[in-house]
């Protein structure tokens, strides 16, 4: 697939050297905060797991402490939340490309883009990536040396940002894809459960804690965590909506909450339930202490 680009930015030789301290920030689009996609987009008509094509995680290096140090836990609820948060950032998005191009990218940018550090930053980063926010500019590494930041024309943006090539790693086994969604879903909901639960209907919280009906407990957890997820997204939801309106979202993508609901599997809600119950008990104790203090 050939792609037309408008070259609007100077070559790497006139940019900040990748050897300076802030080189990792140079790989991030200042408007979206997302890593630039990579040109040339030239995917052969062959299964991506074949010899010629591989999946490039847009945030790397794999064993970086802020990406979970290469962990692949079978049970996210039994794994440190810091590790799951970092792993979710890595799993949230990537780009299919030729193996030869993949090698060039890692050779020229060995440390990858600057990574989020704390849990809130990782949540925002993973959510922004997984809901399809992408830059309108890309890195062209087709020259033997250096690189250029180039603007993709509107006509070709749909090709460059096509969900077939950019997004979750969807051509691997069904079990691997399900594991990735369960892991990210657990992190999104676990982070959400740490929001201000006093903003949730107290009768709903009370019912969740005291019911012994498993089906009702799952239903209540889904409703409570859904409200918590909205609270967790609220600080940057307006920004994401604005980016979508301005054309910085992949074609066919919906609003952030709809995208998250489609990605998070039901099993993630059940995994978070024990932690949610602990958070609710902590909230009730805090409210009781405050009431006694008055």
């Amino acid at each position: 697939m050939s792609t037309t680009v408008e070259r609007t930015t100077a070559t790497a030789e006139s940019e900040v050297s990748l050897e300076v301290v802030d080189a990792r920030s140079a790989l991030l689009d200042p408007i979206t905060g997302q890593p630039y996609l990579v040109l040339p987009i030239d995917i052969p008509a062959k299964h991506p797991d074949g010899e010629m094509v591989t999946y490039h995680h847009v945030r790397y290096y794999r064993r970086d402490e802020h990406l979970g140090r290469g962990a692949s836990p079978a049970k996210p609820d039994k794994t440190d939340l810091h590790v799951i948060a970092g792993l979710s950032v890595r799993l949230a998005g990537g780009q299919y490309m030729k193996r030869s191009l993949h090698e060039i990218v890692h050779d020229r940018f060995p440390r990858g883009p600057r990574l989020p550090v704390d849990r809130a930053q990782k949540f925002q980063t993973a959510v922004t990536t997984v809901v399809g926010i992408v830059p309108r500019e890309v890195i062209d590494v087709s020259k033997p040396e250096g690189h250029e930041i180039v603007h993709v024309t509107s006509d070709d943006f749909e090709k460059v940002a096509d969900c077939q090539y950019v997004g979750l790693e969807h051509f691997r086994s069904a079990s691997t894809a399900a594991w990735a969604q369960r892991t990210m879903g657990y992190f999104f909901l676990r982070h959400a459960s740490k929001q201000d639960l006093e903003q949730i209907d107290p009768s709903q919280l009370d019912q969740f804690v005291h019911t012994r009906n498993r089906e009702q407990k799952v239903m209540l957890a889904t409703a409570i965590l859904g409200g918590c997820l909205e609270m967790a997204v609220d600080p940057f939801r307006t920004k994401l909506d604005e980016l979508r309106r301005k054309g910085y979202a992949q074609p066919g993508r919906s609003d952030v909450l709809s995208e998250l609901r489609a990605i998070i599997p039901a099993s993630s809600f059940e995994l978070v339930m024990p932690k949610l119950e602990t958070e609710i008990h902590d909230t009730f104790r805090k409210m009781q202490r405050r009431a006694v203090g008055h």
Side-chain angles (χ1 to χ4, degrees):
M1 172 181 119
S2 69
T3 304
T4 305
V5 295
E6 297 172 350
R7 300 183 179 276
T8 58
T9 308
T11 61
E13 286 76 7
S14 62
E15 298 261 336
V16 177
S17 167
L18 289 178
E19 295 179 358
V20 301
V21 175
D22 202 35
R24 301 180 80 180
S25 297
L27 297 178
L28 296 175
D29 171 41
I31 297 175
T32 63
Q34 292 291 86
Y36 295 110
L37 299 179
V38 182
L39 285 182
I41 304 291
D42 185 16
I43 303 296
K46 185 175 180 180
H47 192 288
D49 277 345
E51 182 181 353
M52 295 297 294
V53 180
T54 190
Y55 183 79
H56 169 65
H57 295 85
V58 295
R59 286 185 170 85
Y60 60 94
Y61 181 68
R62 181 172 181 265
R63 298 196 64 80
D64 192 292
E65 65 172 323
H66 298 309
L67 294 181
R69 293 198 171 110
S72 299
K75 298 181 178 180
D77 55 322
K78 305 298 183 184
T79 307
D80 186 274
L81 187 57
H82 172 74
V83 173
I84 295 300
L87 182 58
S88 296
V89 171
R90 175 174 166 81
L91 293 174
Q95 176 183 358
Y96 282 102
M97 61 179 63
K98 285 185 176 180
R99 290 186 184 275
S100 56
L101 180 59
H102 193 216
E103 292 172 2
I104 290 172
V105 171
H106 279 271
D107 181 60
R108 296 190 187 177
F109 316 111
R111 296 188 63 203
R114 177 171 47 82
L115 299 171
V117 176
D118 63 35
R119 192 183 75 245
Q121 291 174 346
K122 291 176 181 179
F123 176 78
Q124 180 171 346
T125 298
V127 168
T128 301
T129 304
V130 85
V131 302
I133 298 299
V134 292
R136 301 288 302 210
E137 294 183 318
V138 296
I139 287 184
D140 186 348
V141 294
S142 59
K143 293 183 178 180
E145 295 182 1
H147 68 275
E148 291 182 278
I149 306 298
V150 297
H151 183 80
V152 181
T153 62
S154 296
D155 289 342
D156 283 319
F157 179 72
E158 291 190 9
K159 300 175 186 177
V160 173
D162 191 327
C163 290
Q164 182 179 357
Y165 303 126
V166 177
L168 296 179
E169 191 171 4
H170 54 280
F171 281 107
R172 297 182 69 182
S173 68
S175 60
T176 300
W179 166 78
Q181 285 189 246
R182 186 170 64 251
T183 299
M184 286 188 293
Y186 178 83
F187 169 55
F188 292 155
L189 295 178
R190 185 72 183 92
H191 178 77
S193 74
K194 290 180 170 293
Q195 304 305 300
D196 183 7
L197 291 175
E198 292 188 43
Q199 301 299 314
I200 303 295
D201 182 353
S203 65
Q204 199 174 41
L205 300 179
D206 190 67
Q207 287 179 56
F208 171 78
V209 168
H210 291 100
T211 185
R212 295 186 178 182
N213 183 296
R214 176 72 178 180
E215 185 177 346
Q216 184 181 23
K217 202 173 190 73
V218 171
M219 182 180 67
L220 287 165
T222 301
I224 293 168
L225 289 169
C228 291
L229 193 62
E230 288 192 39
M231 283 192 282
V233 170
D234 271 347
F236 56 94
R237 185 176 178 180
T238 299
K239 178 183 178 181
L240 294 188
D241 287 342
E242 182 180 2
L243 288 171
R244 286 183 62 250
R245 286 194 298 270
K246 291 182 176 180
Y248 289 93
Q250 289 177 279
R253 292 296 199 130
S254 185
D255 66 278
V256 57
L257 288 174
S258 296
E259 291 287 339
L260 287 179
R261 292 188 187 108
I263 289 166
I264 300 174
S267 59
S268 293
F269 286 89
E270 296 190 51
L271 282 177
V272 174
M273 279 171 46
K275 298 292 187 182
L276 174 62
E277 187 155 352
T278 299
E279 299 285 357
I280 292 173
H281 281 300
D282 289 345
T283 297
F284 283 163
R285 282 193 289 269
K286 182 171 65 177
M287 294 170 66
Q288 290 170 351
R289 286 195 299 269
R290 195 162 58 237
V292 171
H294 289 320

